[in-house]
Amino acid sequence: IKYFIFYMWRTKRFRNTIDKVAQLSPRFWKATGTFAILLCGLAMILGIFSVLDQDYKILLGQIKEPSAQLVLPTLSKEGSTSSGVIYIPFWFWFLTIGAILIPHEFMHGVFARAQKIKLKSVGLLLFAIFPGAFVEPVESDVKAAPLKNKLRVFAAGSFANFLTAIIFFLLSAFLIWPAAVNPAIEMKIVNITEGSPA
C-alpha cells in the first residue's frame, strides 16, 4: 500500500469456499484435527531434538554445516549453495512459497469453521517479493473455544504442509521423475562435500 511495498487482498468468496469445505463433514474435520494435534506435537518434539542434535554436532566439530538451511530466491537460472543458504531460481521459489502457504492457511480456515469459529477475513498478500496468505479468525471466538478446539486450529496449518509434502513426493516419485528420466541413462555420484549433511 505505502510505496507499493505491501499489498493485501481480502475476499469473501474464498471464505465461502472454506465454509463449504468445513461443512462437508464437521465430524471428519474434528477427528482429523485430533490426529493433527498428535502428529504436529510429535513433529515439534522431533524437530527440536534434531536442531539441538545438529547444534551439538557442530559444537563438537563432527559436522560443519547444519542440515537446516535458509532457502532464498536468486535471479540466476541455476540453483547454488553457500554457507547456511540454498539459492533457488526466483520463479521456483515463488511457486514453492505459494504451495506451502495457501494450503497451510486454507486448512487453518477449514478447521476453524469446523469448530464453529468465525472468520473475520481471508486473503492473499505480497510484501515486497514475499508472497503470503492469511486466514484471520474472530479473536473472541478463539478465546472462547475449548483448548482442544484451539489446538486443532493451530495444528491445521502444519498438518496441511505434511499432506502437501506427501502429495508432491508421490507425484514426483511416480509421475514426474519417471516421465523426465531416461532409464537407459545411469546416474553416478562423482563428488560429495566433506562435512556437509549430504
Side-chain angles (χ1 to χ4, degrees), residues 31-91:
T32 305
T34 303
F35 175 72
I37 293 169
L38 298 171
L39 176 69
C40 294
L42 178 63
M44 182 174 62
I45 291 165
L46 291 174
I48 291 168
F49 172 78
S50 176
V51 169
L52 292 175
D53 182 56
Q54 290 289 314
D55 292 345
Y56 178 70
K57 287 176 180 172
I58 290 168
L59 285 172
L60 292 180
Q62 293 176 359
I63 59 172
K64 294 178 184 174
E65 290 284 333
S67 58
Q69 300 184 16
L70 284 173
V71 179
L72 296 175
T74 179
L75 295 176
S76 170
K77 290 181 180 178
E78 298 292 324
S80 62
T81 61
S82 66
S83 184
V85 183
I86 299 169
Y87 296 100
I88 60 175
F90 181 81
W91 66 269

Side-chain angles (χ1 to χ4, degrees), residues 107-120:
M107 198 66 85
H108 275 308
V110 169
F111 278 41
R113 292 303 297 131
Q115 316 304 310
K116 307 285 187 224
I117 295 171
K118 293 186 187 103
L119 300 179
K120 195 190 298 183

Side-chain angles (χ1 to χ4, degrees), residues 15 28 30 38 40 43 76 83 85 88 93 102 148 155 185 190 193:
R15 192 169 62 184
F28 168 78
K30 284 183 183 177
L38 298 171
C40 294
S76 170
S83 184
V85 183
I88 60 175
W93 179 84
I102 292 171
K148 196 171 188 180
I185 299 171
V190 294
T193 306

Side-chain angles (χ1 to χ4, degrees), residues 172-173 175-187:
S172 63
L175 292 176
I176 299 167
W177 184 255
V181 175
N182 183 343
I185 299 171
E186 290 184 7
M187 290 182 70

